[in-house]
Amino acid sequence: YTELTMLKGEHVLVRRTMAAWEDLLPASHFMRVHRHTIVSLAHVSGFSHDDREITRLQITGRSESLRARREHWPALRDRLVALHGNRFALE
């Protein structure tokens, strides 16, 4: 099972694996950033680096940030720049 958090905050439980979501969702707009997290790149509004392991992503409409593995940051940054422009170009 996976829990989806919708843009307006509602939660939906779906019987589908994370790998199945990765295959289903368009890679141009979604990315797996942690073992338990896939994000909509269009809704990433900012980021901060906690330490050498964790990057925190600010998501439009969410008060809490989402954890992303720091090892994903180079690919994530490139995809955010492609989608949002140079706002995400600086590390």
Side-chain angles (χ1 to χ4, degrees):
Y1 288 93
T2 52
E3 181 181 20
L4 306 178
T5 303
M6 309 309 278
L7 188 57
K8 294 185 179 186
E10 60 270 18
H11 298 272
V12 179
L13 193 60
V14 178
R15 190 174 184 173
R16 182 170 286 146
T17 66
M18 293 294 283
W21 281 114
E22 285 182 291
D23 291 340
L24 179 68
L25 297 168
S28 59
H29 287 84
F30 292 88
M31 182 175 175
R32 190 170 188 168
V33 296
H34 199 274
R35 183 174 176 208
H36 302 289
T37 307
I38 296 174
V39 297
S40 167
L41 300 173
H43 292 101
V44 176
S45 59
F47 68 93
S48 62
H49 298 301
D50 279 2
D51 56 29
R52 295 180 68 177
E53 296 295 321
I54 300 297
T55 295
R56 294 210 170 264
L57 302 176
Q58 287 80 47
I59 306 296
T60 303
R62 282 186 59 104
S63 57
E64 293 181 25
S65 61
L66 296 176
R67 290 173 50 133
R69 296 281 308 163
R70 190 74 181 262
E71 65 198 38
H72 295 296
W73 177 244
L76 178 57
R77 181 192 56 226
D78 290 347
R79 291 178 63 188
L80 289 170
V81 167
L83 192 63
H84 294 285
N86 288 334
R87 176 170 60 143
F88 290 96
L90 300 175
E91 239 180 280

